[in-house]
Amino acid sequence: MNPDIDTAWRSLPRAWGAPVLRATVRQFDEDFQVVEELGFTPEGEGEHLYLRIRKTGWNTADVAGWLARALGVRRRDVGQAGLKDRHAVAEQWFGVHMPGRHPDLPPLPGGLELVQAVRHRRKLRTGALKGNRFILRLRNVEGDTQALGRRLLGISRGGVPNWFGEQRFGIDGGNLAAAARLFAGDKVADRHLRGLYLSAARSFLFNRVLAERVAAGSWNRVLTGDLMTFSGSRSLFPADASTTADPRLAALDVHPTGPLAGCDGVSPTADALLVERRVLEAHTGYTAGLVDYRLRAERRALRLSVANLSWRPLEDGDWELSFSLPPGAYATAVLREVIE
């Protein structure tokens, strides 16, 4: 009922075999750069002020709180397209509801830089992204760099398992431990924290189902009864006899899905259902807790396509790795298939 972080992340199987390199990732914040790519172009007018901010050493919630205070608005009037790590250089979008006002933003504190300010007619909602572009510096690289090229080429063609990353579970799995206490009866008044704990529980269960499929070699192929989804879509359709030969499966446009546990929702059938049932029944404390909190069951693609993948050597033997991922995907899902 209270799995540790090794079960949640470190001991997960690898789809592409043992890592081909050893390297240091994120020795400095600037080694990990991420740029949000909006799924639309702001219109230039409207009652919502969109701010594109480059942050270093700040988490997203703290930036949103500073903006609310600096602009004299309520915290709930500041939204963001996504969440980004504190220990990174991240360009991300914030939206502030400010009808009819043309504020002068005060000087930004250290670690924050205003890249762009533009108006838009509609509120900026979480998830309103086309994706994220990552530029990573790998230091102290040891191993066969030619093997790195072969591994990355395979990943660009076949994708990687769509894991929830280690940060989802908190430091040393603390969010999972808190979820266990929550389901055991602890009260958590802070709605944001409660949401983090519930998300950690769901992410753990999804990763366990995905781990079962990776170990069996079925994370990137169709099982009888699978529910399928399209890249960039939440729509679902049941697999049938033609799905295995569907060229969209090989093109990484269609993927089998796994469970985001909760109540109601739709479920797979046949072999896919048997796999999920076997995993979830081993963690009934979490599944029952999520139902008690009335989280609606959803589905998530088991496979993650990696776009615009490139790599190049830098000075001093370092390497730069860059790629684009869709919203909700984790760069660590790519890195763990490449480096130790």
Side-chain angles (χ1 to χ4, degrees), residues 102-167:
H102 301 279
D104 292 324
L105 192 65
L108 275 68
L112 299 184
E113 177 186 351
L114 179 63
V115 179
Q116 184 180 1
V118 62
R119 289 277 181 172
H120 193 61
R121 289 191 174 95
R122 290 178 292 278
K123 178 180 179 180
L124 180 62
R125 299 192 180 279
T126 301
L129 293 174
K130 180 174 66 176
N132 295 289
R133 177 71 175 167
F134 296 89
I135 304 172
L136 312 179
R137 187 175 186 122
L138 309 182
R139 298 180 184 269
N140 307 314
V141 174
E142 299 176 3
D144 185 352
T145 53
Q146 291 186 339
L148 170 67
R150 293 191 294 271
R151 174 65 56 86
L152 293 174
L153 183 60
I155 287 173
S156 69
R157 293 172 174 172
V160 296
N162 192 18
W163 306 111
F164 282 104
E166 184 176 17
Q167 59 268 49

Side-chain angles (χ1 to χ4, degrees), residues 235-289:
S235 62
L236 300 169
F237 66 94
D240 58 25
S242 67
T243 306
T244 299
D246 190 329
R248 295 175 299 180
L249 186 67
L252 306 185
D253 293 329
V254 169
H255 314 278
T257 64
L260 297 176
C263 56
D264 303 323
V266 293
S267 298
T269 60
D271 292 342
L273 176 61
L274 291 177
V275 172
E276 293 187 12
R277 184 177 289 167
R278 181 169 63 250
V279 173
L280 297 180
E281 286 181 349
H283 304 284
T284 54
Y286 282 97
T287 55

